[in-house]
Amino acid sequence: KQGGDITRDMLLVSTKAGFTTPDLAARLVKEGAMSGTDIVGQMHSLHPAYLTASLDLSLDRMGLTTVDILYLHNPGEVQQPVVGRPGFMARLRAAFAACERARSAGKLVHYGLATWDSFRVPPSHPSFIALEEVMALAAEVGGQAHGFRWVQLPVSADMPEAWSAPYQPLAGRNVTLVAAARALHVGLMASGPLGQAQLLRGGAAATLEHTPEVSGLSDSASRLLQIARSAPGVTTALVGHKTRVHVESNVRLAHYPRLPDAQFNAVAAGLAAEKGRGQAFHRR
């Protein structure tokens, strides 16, 4: 029991590892479990010892024995530009091996990558990650029953790359991340659907207020969440709450069906056209 009528099997619990906490990293270096060179920019590590200790700490803090998803947090954005592609893939291999050991120990069910840029940028970008290559690496480490099953990335009215940008290589073609994830059986979690609240005050909110497919929803946050959760291939949209009224408002959206693909495509086209006319959706 987690409280009230909620039980653990009703919840999907995820946590992240990668960005270091100074005390934990310092202790592991002092104990010889890892070295200072395993920490990039004095803030990020994919070393198995750090990932394992970070996961154990998260489990202890939550009072759980297992999480459903462990995300490696922004590894491509932080590490790849520093250590280079070969070095990054070697570190990712070791990290995946640590995740597979944690799966065998019952500490996690699946693992994945939580990113900001890596799945939204073209292959020429230093942070770019190819999902097909990552899946092949996971299969090399964990076999065909490996646990790499999730990707988290920004998906919003202002960040449409997941469904609009054909940057991902797949069987010799270039496709969108949504198409690659669907073919490779990877779930997508949409982060930043409100643009860290900036979209609530931008042109996207005004555009959606007069968009028939979502104008019936009661407020800008609900309309923006509806866009993110309706993006083809997205499992769900993640949103933080500070007040009870926001929780209740956003939960009400679950009673509405997602937009069918045809309606979503119409809304996306309208947003793109408005943005192309110079409408500033996201105050950067």
Side-chain angles (χ1 to χ4, degrees):
K1 284 273 188 177
Q2 305 298 307
D5 296 325
I6 300 174
T7 57
R8 173 64 179 89
D9 60 350
M10 298 177 182
L11 304 174
L12 188 148
V13 178
S14 65
T15 190
K16 295 178 180 178
F19 285 101
T20 56
T21 56
D23 290 347
L24 179 58
R27 176 173 66 80
L28 293 172
V29 170
K30 183 177 181 180
E31 292 173 352
M34 56 187 283
S35 72
T37 59
D38 295 314
I39 304 173
V40 172
Q42 299 182 325
M43 65 174 178
H44 197 280
S45 182
L46 291 174
H47 192 278
Y50 185 80
L51 297 178
T52 300
S54 182
L55 173 60
D56 288 343
L57 186 59
S58 290
L59 290 171
D60 182 63
R61 286 173 172 171
M62 292 187 288
L64 299 175
T65 58
T66 304
V67 292
D68 298 293
I69 308 171
L70 172 66
Y71 290 110
L72 305 182
H73 195 185
N74 288 9
E77 291 88 340
V78 179
Q79 295 228 3
Q80 189 167 218
V82 177
V83 303
R85 182 124 189 108
F88 173 68
M89 294 305 291
R91 292 185 177 206
L92 202 60
R93 175 187 291 274
F96 283 6
C99 290
E100 291 294 342
R101 288 193 292 273
R103 286 184 75 214
S104 297
K107 295 180 181 180
L108 62 90
V109 180
H110 295 122
Y111 58 96
L113 300 180
T115 68
W116 190 260
D117 291 328
S118 293
F119 290 111
R120 300 189 304 108
V121 295
S124 59
H125 194 283
S127 297
F128 173 79
I129 291 177
L131 184 59
E132 184 179 46
E133 186 176 7
V134 168
M135 288 295 282
L137 181 65
E140 290 176 14
V141 171
Q144 291 305 310
H146 64 83
F148 186 97
R149 297 299 170 196
W150 294 96
V151 162
Q152 182 186 125
L153 80 160
V155 178
S156 72
D158 192 48
M159 294 185 174
E161 295 87 357
W163 75 75
S164 67
Y167 294 150
Q168 288 290 317
L170 181 69
R173 301 179 296 120
N174 293 325
V175 302
T176 65
L177 178 67
V178 162
R182 183 179 292 130
L184 296 168
H185 307 291
V186 173
L188 298 181
M189 295 287 194
S191 64
L194 306 182
Q196 297 174 326
Q198 294 298 309
L199 288 176
L200 296 172
R201 299 184 290 274
T207 299
L208 293 175
E209 187 176 357
H210 303 288
T211 300
E213 289 83 357
V214 294
S215 59
L217 296 173
S218 60
D219 53 64
S220 294
S222 295
R223 297 181 195 109
L224 289 163
L225 286 170
Q226 179 72 329
I227 298 304
R229 71 191 284 260
S230 297
V234 166
T235 300
T236 193
L238 309 176
V239 62
H241 308 89
K242 290 184 178 179
T243 67
R244 183 184 181 92
V245 66
H246 290 155
V247 173
E248 292 172 346
S249 175
N250 292 334
V251 166
R252 279 197 295 271
L253 186 61
H255 296 289
Y256 289 82
R258 301 182 188 207
L259 295 177
D261 285 356
Q263 290 188 21
F264 174 84
N265 290 335
V267 174
L271 287 167
E274 196 67 30
K275 192 173 183 180
R277 286 194 285 269
Q279 187 84 328
F281 283 175
H282 194 169
R283 299 177 185 178
R284 300 185 186 279

Coordinates of all heavy atoms in Angstrom, one line a residue, residues 174-230:
N174 N 16.3 7.3 -43.5 CA 16.2 8.3 -42.5 C 14.8 8.5 -42.1 O 13.9 8.8 -43.0 CB 16.8 9.6 -43.0 CG 18.3 9.5 -43.2 OD1 19.0 8.8 -42.4 ND2 18.9 10.2 -44.2
V175 N 14.4 8.3 -40.9 CA 13.1 8.4 -40.4 C 13.0 9.3 -39.2 O 14.0 9.7 -38.6 CB 12.5 7.0 -40.1 CG1 12.6 6.1 -41.3 CG2 13.2 6.4 -38.9
T176 N 11.8 9.6 -38.7 CA 11.6 10.4 -37.5 C 11.9 9.4 -36.3 O 11.9 8.2 -36.4 CB 10.2 10.9 -37.3 OG1 9.3 9.8 -37.3 CG2 9.8 11.8 -38.5
L177 N 12.1 10.0 -35.1 CA 12.3 9.2 -33.9 C 11.1 8.4 -33.6 O 11.2 7.2 -33.2 CB 12.6 10.1 -32.7 CG 12.8 9.4 -31.4 CD1 14.0 8.5 -31.4 CD2 12.8 10.3 -30.2
V178 N 9.9 9.0 -33.8 CA 8.7 8.2 -33.6 C 8.6 7.0 -34.4 O 8.3 5.9 -33.9 CB 7.4 9.1 -33.9 CG1 6.2 8.3 -34.1 CG2 7.2 10.1 -32.8
A179 N 9.0 7.1 -35.7 CA 9.0 5.9 -36.6 C 10.1 4.9 -36.2 O 9.8 3.7 -36.2 CB 9.2 6.3 -38.0
A180 N 11.2 5.4 -35.8 CA 12.3 4.5 -35.3 C 11.9 3.8 -34.1 O 12.1 2.5 -33.9 CB 13.6 5.3 -35.1
A181 N 11.3 4.5 -33.1 CA 10.9 3.9 -31.8 C 9.9 2.8 -32.0 O 9.9 1.8 -31.4 CB 10.4 5.0 -30.9
R182 N 8.9 3.1 -32.9 CA 7.9 2.2 -33.2 C 8.4 0.9 -33.8 O 8.1 -0.2 -33.4 CB 6.8 2.8 -34.1 CG 5.6 1.9 -34.4 CD 4.6 2.5 -35.3 NE 4.0 3.6 -34.7 CZ 3.8 4.9 -35.2 NH1 4.4 5.1 -36.4 NH2 3.2 5.8 -34.5
A183 N 9.3 1.0 -34.7 CA 9.9 -0.2 -35.4 C 10.8 -1.0 -34.4 O 10.9 -2.2 -34.5 CB 10.8 0.3 -36.6
L184 N 11.5 -0.3 -33.5 CA 12.4 -0.9 -32.6 C 11.7 -1.3 -31.2 O 12.4 -1.8 -30.3 CB 13.6 0.0 -32.3 CG 14.4 0.3 -33.6 CD1 15.4 1.4 -33.3 CD2 15.2 -1.0 -34.1
H185 N 10.4 -1.0 -31.1 CA 9.7 -1.4 -29.9 C 10.2 -0.7 -28.7 O 10.4 -1.3 -27.6 CB 9.7 -2.9 -29.7 CG 9.2 -3.7 -30.9 ND1 7.9 -3.7 -31.3 CD2 9.9 -4.5 -31.8 CE1 7.8 -4.4 -32.4 NE2 9.0 -4.9 -32.7
V186 N 10.4 0.6 -28.8 CA 10.9 1.5 -27.7 C 9.7 2.4 -27.4 O 9.2 3.1 -28.3 CB 12.1 2.3 -28.1 CG1 12.5 3.3 -27.0 CG2 13.3 1.3 -28.3
G187 N 9.4 2.6 -26.1 CA 8.4 3.5 -25.7 C 9.0 4.9 -25.5 O 10.1 5.1 -25.1
L188 N 8.2 5.9 -25.9 CA 8.6 7.3 -25.8 C 7.8 8.0 -24.7 O 6.6 7.9 -24.6 CB 8.3 8.0 -27.1 CG 9.1 7.5 -28.3 CD1 8.7 8.4 -29.5 CD2 10.6 7.5 -28.1
M189 N 8.5 8.7 -23.8 CA 7.9 9.5 -22.8 C 8.2 11.0 -23.1 O 9.4 11.4 -23.3 CB 8.6 9.2 -21.4 CG 8.3 7.8 -20.9 SD 6.6 7.6 -20.4 CE 6.7 6.1 -19.4
A190 N 7.1 11.8 -23.2 CA 7.3 13.2 -23.6 C 7.5 14.0 -22.3 O 6.7 14.1 -21.5 CB 6.0 13.6 -24.3
S191 N 8.7 14.7 -22.3 CA 8.9 15.6 -21.2 C 8.7 17.1 -21.7 O 8.6 17.3 -22.9 CB 10.4 15.5 -20.7 OG 11.3 15.8 -21.7
G192 N 8.7 18.0 -20.8 CA 8.6 19.4 -21.2 C 7.4 19.8 -22.0 O 7.5 20.7 -22.9
P193 N 6.2 19.2 -21.8 CA 5.0 19.5 -22.7 C 4.6 21.0 -22.5 O 3.9 21.5 -23.4 CB 4.0 18.6 -22.2 CG 4.3 18.2 -20.8 CD 5.8 18.2 -20.8
L194 N 4.9 21.6 -21.4 CA 4.5 23.0 -21.2 C 5.7 24.0 -21.4 O 5.6 25.2 -21.1 CB 4.0 23.2 -19.8 CG 2.8 22.3 -19.4 CD1 2.3 22.6 -18.0 CD2 1.7 22.4 -20.4
G195 N 6.9 23.4 -21.8 CA 8.0 24.2 -22.0 C 8.5 24.9 -20.8 O 8.8 26.1 -20.8
Q196 N 8.5 24.2 -19.7 CA 8.8 24.7 -18.3 C 8.0 26.0 -18.0 O 8.5 27.0 -17.5 CB 10.3 25.0 -18.3 CG 11.2 23.7 -18.4 CD 12.6 24.0 -18.5 OE1 13.1 25.0 -19.0 NE2 13.4 23.1 -18.0
A197 N 6.7 25.9 -18.4 CA 5.7 26.9 -18.2 C 5.8 28.1 -19.1 O 4.9 28.9 -19.2 CB 5.7 27.4 -16.7
Q198 N 6.9 28.1 -19.9 CA 7.0 29.3 -20.9 C 6.0 29.3 -22.0 O 5.5 30.3 -22.4 CB 8.4 29.2 -21.5 CG 9.5 29.5 -20.5 CD 9.5 30.9 -19.9 OE1 9.3 31.9 -20.5 NE2 9.5 30.9 -18.5
L199 N 5.5 28.1 -22.4 CA 4.5 28.0 -23.4 C 3.2 28.5 -23.0 O 2.3 28.8 -23.8 CB 4.4 26.5 -23.9 CG 5.6 26.0 -24.8 CD1 5.4 24.5 -25.1 CD2 5.8 26.8 -26.1
L200 N 2.9 28.5 -21.7 CA 1.7 29.0 -21.2 C 1.5 30.5 -21.5 O 0.4 31.0 -21.5 CB 1.5 28.7 -19.7 CG 1.5 27.3 -19.3 CD1 1.6 27.2 -17.8 CD2 0.3 26.6 -19.8
R201 N 2.6 31.2 -21.7 CA 2.6 32.6 -21.9 C 3.0 33.0 -23.3 O 3.1 34.1 -23.7 CB 3.5 33.3 -20.9 CG 3.2 33.1 -19.5 CD 4.1 33.9 -18.5 NE 5.4 33.3 -18.5 CZ 5.8 32.3 -17.7 NH1 4.9 31.7 -16.9 NH2 7.1 31.9 -17.7
G202 N 3.2 32.0 -24.2 CA 3.6 32.2 -25.5 C 2.5 32.1 -26.6 O 1.4 32.0 -26.3
G203 N 3.0 32.2 -27.8 CA 2.1 32.2 -29.0 C 1.3 30.9 -29.2 O 0.2 30.9 -29.7
A204 N 2.0 29.8 -28.8 CA 1.4 28.5 -28.9 C 0.0 28.4 -28.2 O -1.0 27.9 -28.7 CB 2.3 27.4 -28.5
A205 N 0.0 28.9 -26.9 CA -1.2 28.9 -26.1 C -2.3 29.7 -26.8 O -3.5 29.2 -26.9 CB -0.9 29.5 -24.8
A206 N -2.0 30.8 -27.4 CA -3.0 31.6 -28.1 C -3.5 30.9 -29.3 O -4.7 31.0 -29.7 CB -2.4 33.0 -28.4
T207 N -2.6 30.3 -30.1 CA -2.9 29.6 -31.3 C -3.9 28.4 -31.0 O -4.9 28.3 -31.6 CB -1.7 29.0 -32.0 OG1 -0.9 30.1 -32.4 CG2 -2.1 28.2 -33.2
L208 N -3.6 27.7 -29.9 CA -4.4 26.5 -29.6 C -5.8 26.9 -29.0 O -6.7 26.1 -29.2 CB -3.7 25.6 -28.6 CG -2.4 24.9 -29.1 CD1 -1.7 24.2 -28.0 CD2 -2.7 24.0 -30.2
E209 N -5.9 28.1 -28.4 CA -7.2 28.5 -27.9 C -8.2 28.6 -29.0 O -9.4 28.5 -28.8 CB -7.0 29.9 -27.2 CG -8.2 30.4 -26.5 CD -8.0 31.7 -25.8 OE1 -6.8 32.2 -25.7 OE2 -9.0 32.2 -25.2
H210 N -7.7 28.8 -30.3 CA -8.6 29.0 -31.4 C -8.5 27.8 -32.4 O -8.9 28.0 -33.5 CB -8.3 30.3 -32.1 CG -8.5 31.5 -31.2 ND1 -9.7 32.0 -30.7 CD2 -7.5 32.3 -30.7 CE1 -9.5 33.0 -30.0 NE2 -8.2 33.2 -29.9
T211 N -7.9 26.7 -31.9 CA -7.8 25.5 -32.8 C -8.9 24.6 -32.4 O -9.0 24.1 -31.3 CB -6.4 24.9 -32.5 OG1 -5.4 25.8 -32.8 CG2 -6.3 23.6 -33.3
P212 N -9.8 24.3 -33.4 CA -11.0 23.5 -33.1 C -10.8 22.2 -32.4 O -11.5 21.8 -31.5 CB -11.7 23.3 -34.4 CG -11.1 24.4 -35.3 CD -9.7 24.7 -34.8
E213 N -9.7 21.5 -32.7 CA -9.5 20.2 -32.2 C -9.2 20.2 -30.7 O -9.4 19.1 -30.0 CB -8.3 19.5 -32.9 CG -8.6 19.1 -34.3 CD -8.4 20.3 -35.3 OE1 -8.1 21.4 -34.8 OE2 -8.5 20.1 -36.5
V214 N -8.8 21.3 -30.1 CA -8.5 21.4 -28.7 C -9.1 22.5 -28.0 O -9.0 22.7 -26.8 CB -6.9 21.4 -28.4 CG1 -6.3 20.1 -28.9 CG2 -6.3 22.6 -29.1
S215 N -9.9 23.4 -28.7 CA -10.4 24.6 -28.1 C -11.5 24.3 -27.0 O -11.7 25.1 -26.2 CB -11.0 25.5 -29.2 OG -12.1 24.8 -29.9
G216 N -12.0 23.0 -27.0 CA -13.0 22.7 -26.0 C -12.4 22.4 -24.7 O -13.2 22.3 -23.7
L217 N -11.1 22.2 -24.6 CA -10.5 22.0 -23.3 C -10.4 23.3 -22.5 O -10.4 24.4 -23.1 CB -9.1 21.4 -23.5 CG -9.0 20.0 -24.2 CD1 -7.6 19.6 -24.5 CD2 -9.7 19.0 -23.3
S218 N -10.4 23.2 -21.2 CA -10.7 24.4 -20.4 C -9.6 25.4 -20.2 O -9.8 26.5 -19.9 CB -11.1 23.9 -19.0 OG -10.0 23.1 -18.4
D219 N -8.3 25.0 -20.5 CA -7.2 25.9 -20.2 C -6.0 25.6 -21.1 O -6.0 24.5 -21.7 CB -6.8 25.9 -18.7 CG -6.5 24.5 -18.2 OD1 -5.5 23.9 -18.7 OD2 -7.2 24.1 -17.3
S220 N -5.1 26.5 -21.1 CA -3.9 26.4 -22.0 C -3.1 25.2 -21.6 O -2.6 24.5 -22.5 CB -3.0 27.6 -21.9 OG -3.7 28.8 -22.4
A221 N -2.9 24.9 -20.3 CA -2.1 23.7 -19.9 C -2.7 22.4 -20.5 O -2.0 21.6 -21.0 CB -2.0 23.7 -18.4
S222 N -4.0 22.3 -20.4 CA -4.7 21.1 -20.9 C -4.5 21.0 -22.4 O -4.3 19.9 -22.9 CB -6.2 21.1 -20.5 OG -6.4 21.1 -19.1
R223 N -4.6 22.1 -23.1 CA -4.4 22.0 -24.6 C -3.0 21.6 -25.0 O -2.8 20.8 -25.9 CB -4.8 23.4 -25.2 CG -6.2 23.8 -25.0 CD -6.6 25.1 -25.6 NE -7.8 25.6 -25.1 CZ -8.0 26.6 -24.3 NH1 -6.9 27.3 -24.0 NH2 -9.2 27.0 -23.9
L224 N -2.0 22.2 -24.3 CA -0.6 21.8 -24.6 C -0.3 20.4 -24.2 O 0.4 19.7 -24.9 CB 0.3 22.8 -23.8 CG 0.3 24.2 -24.3 CD1 0.9 25.1 -23.3 CD2 1.1 24.3 -25.6
L225 N -0.9 19.9 -23.1 CA -0.7 18.5 -22.7 C -1.3 17.6 -23.7 O -0.8 16.5 -24.0 CB -1.2 18.3 -21.3 CG -0.4 18.8 -20.1 CD1 -1.2 18.7 -18.8 CD2 0.9 18.1 -20.0
Q226 N -2.5 18.0 -24.2 CA -3.2 17.2 -25.2 C -2.4 17.0 -26.5 O -2.3 15.9 -27.0 CB -4.6 17.8 -25.5 CG -5.4 17.0 -26.5 CD -5.9 15.7 -26.0 OE1 -5.3 15.0 -25.1 NE2 -7.1 15.3 -26.5
I227 N -1.7 18.1 -26.9 CA -0.8 17.9 -28.0 C 0.3 17.0 -27.8 O 0.6 16.1 -28.6 CB -0.2 19.3 -28.4 CG1 -1.3 20.3 -28.8 CG2 0.8 19.2 -29.5 CD1 -2.2 19.9 -29.9
A228 N 1.0 17.1 -26.6 CA 2.1 16.2 -26.3 C 1.7 14.7 -26.2 O 2.3 13.9 -26.8 CB 2.8 16.7 -25.1
R229 N 0.6 14.5 -25.5 CA 0.2 13.1 -25.3 C -0.4 12.5 -26.5 O -0.5 11.2 -26.6 CB -0.8 13.0 -24.1 CG -2.2 13.6 -24.4 CD -3.0 13.7 -23.2 NE -3.6 12.5 -22.7 CZ -4.8 12.1 -23.0 NH1 -5.7 12.8 -23.7 NH2 -5.3 10.9 -22.5
S230 N -0.8 13.3 -27.5 CA -1.4 12.8 -28.7 C -0.4 12.6 -29.8 O -0.8 12.0 -30.9 CB -2.5 13.8 -29.2 OG -3.6 13.9 -28.3

